[in-house]
């Protein structure tokens, strides 16, 4: 998970939404000192995941951030609503 949140807000969201149940790690701009759309935040995520860009699916509600990820070779989905994101997931062999 990549985010531009402060440390306290990130910790709050992780606990409130039980994100540790399905997210392996969090890259928070407040800790790594890079912010989206700086490509270095995605590169840190790829390095930590030890993944190739083509093996990653990035989801964001901001088209600009998805485009930056795509320019790095990362698959991207713009989240608009639950149903459209669910349909887009299916194209990648994923389900909700």
């Amino acid at each position: 998970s990549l985010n531009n949140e402060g440390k306290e807000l990130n910790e709050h969201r992780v606990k409130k939404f039980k994100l540790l149940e399905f997210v392996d790690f969090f890259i928070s701009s407040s800790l790594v000192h890079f912010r989206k759309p700086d490509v270095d935040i995605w590169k840190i995520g790829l390095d930590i995941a030890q993944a190739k860009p083509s093996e990653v699916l990035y989801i964001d509600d901001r088209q600009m951030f998805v485009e930056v990820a795509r320019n790095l070779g990362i698959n991207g989905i713009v989240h608009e609503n639950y149903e459209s994101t669910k349909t887009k997931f299916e194209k990648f062999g994923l389900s909700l």
Side-chain angles (χ1 to χ4, degrees), residues 59-63 77-86 88:
I59 303 140
D60 204 303
D61 62 347
R62 296 184 183 153
Q63 178 73 35
I77 290 176
V78 177
H79 171 72
E80 297 170 49
N81 59 60
Y82 177 81
E83 287 303 321
S84 68
T85 297
K86 184 177 174 182
K88 292 172 187 177

Side-chain angles (χ1 to χ4, degrees), residues 3-95:
N3 69 69
N4 283 347
E5 298 174 339
K7 183 179 181 199
E8 294 80 12
L9 179 58
N10 186 48
E11 289 173 354
H12 167 74
R13 289 183 198 264
V14 169
K15 289 177 187 170
K16 180 176 181 174
F17 298 108
K18 301 178 183 177
L19 300 178
L20 284 173
E21 292 180 10
F22 61 93
V23 176
D24 293 323
F25 58 88
F26 301 86
I27 308 296
S28 183
S29 62
S30 62
L31 300 175
V32 298
H33 308 289
F34 293 110
R35 292 180 60 81
K36 296 181 289 182
D38 187 329
V39 297
D40 287 327
I41 197 166
W42 279 276
K43 290 179 180 180
I44 289 170
L46 290 168
D47 287 345
I48 289 173
Q50 298 182 16
K52 297 175 187 171
S54 62
E55 299 171 330
V56 174
L57 178 59
Y58 178 74
I59 303 140
D60 204 303
D61 62 347
R62 296 184 183 153
Q63 178 73 35
M64 177 183 70
F65 293 160
V66 172
E67 287 303 319
V68 173
R70 285 179 180 157
N71 288 337
L72 293 169
I74 297 170
N75 299 295
I77 290 176
V78 177
H79 171 72
E80 297 170 49
N81 59 60
Y82 177 81
E83 287 303 321
S84 68
T85 297
K86 184 177 174 182
T87 300
K88 292 172 187 177
F89 267 34
E90 291 169 357
K91 293 178 182 176
F92 288 95
L94 303 170
S95 62

